[in-house]
Amino acid sequence: MNQMEPTAMTNLSTPSVSHPGTGQVKARKSERFFLKQGFVAFSSSNFCEIRNISKTGIGLQYLAHKGSDCAEMNEINILNNLEGFLLGQISCRIAYVSDIVPSGQHGQSVIRRIGLQFINVSQDQQEQIDDMLARFTTEKDTFH
């Protein structure tokens, strides 16, 4: 299984390589950061909240149909209209997917949390990612 980065996760029902069980903690390779308000990521069919970002990957959250495929997340774009920022066509590999049923919800919608590893990033894209992290982060994500 390919995985973005080892992570420290809690409250997961089934331990796996990318989601250790309770009490198991793995260090991340890259520091994660929160972005300033207004940043979103989008694929060909989904707009996503950015949970955190690093030089090598991104954590997203979006509303999905229960059991739906997330293969379209193999390429994303990052946008902030307020800052005039657009980083397009970032190739990604899915590191983990976690579907959460919202409390009181019994329908077909889930909140999907997905971790993506950036792959085949061009030098220009990496420079844009580095610039975004330098200019638009608010703080480190210390909660894993």
Side-chain angles (χ1 to χ4, degrees), residues 101-114:
V101 178
S103 59
Q105 187 69 252
H106 301 290
Q108 292 298 311
S109 294
V110 294
I111 296 171
R112 177 162 292 155
R113 291 185 176 176
I114 187 167

Side-chain angles (χ1 to χ4, degrees), residues 26 73 80 108:
K26 293 185 179 184
M73 300 304 281
N80 185 321
Q108 292 298 311

Side-chain angles (χ1 to χ4, degrees), residues 28-41:
R28 289 181 165 162
K29 291 179 188 174
S30 300
E31 289 182 308
R32 297 282 181 100
F33 298 92
F34 295 115
L35 290 173
K36 289 182 180 177
Q37 188 172 7
F39 278 88
V40 295

Side-chain angles (χ1 to χ4, degrees), residues 87-91 119-129:
L87 175 53
Q89 299 177 315
I90 307 166
S91 295
I119 57 172
N120 303 321
V121 177
S122 71
Q123 182 176 347
D124 181 55
Q125 287 175 319
Q126 190 61 58
E127 288 172 3
Q128 286 182 286
I129 291 168

Side-chain angles (χ1 to χ4, degrees), residues 9 29 40 59 62 75 77 86-87 90 95-96 104 110:
M9 302 295 293
K29 291 179 188 174
V40 295
Y62 62 97
E75 184 177 280
N77 305 280
L86 175 63
L87 175 53
I90 307 166
Y96 70 84
V110 294

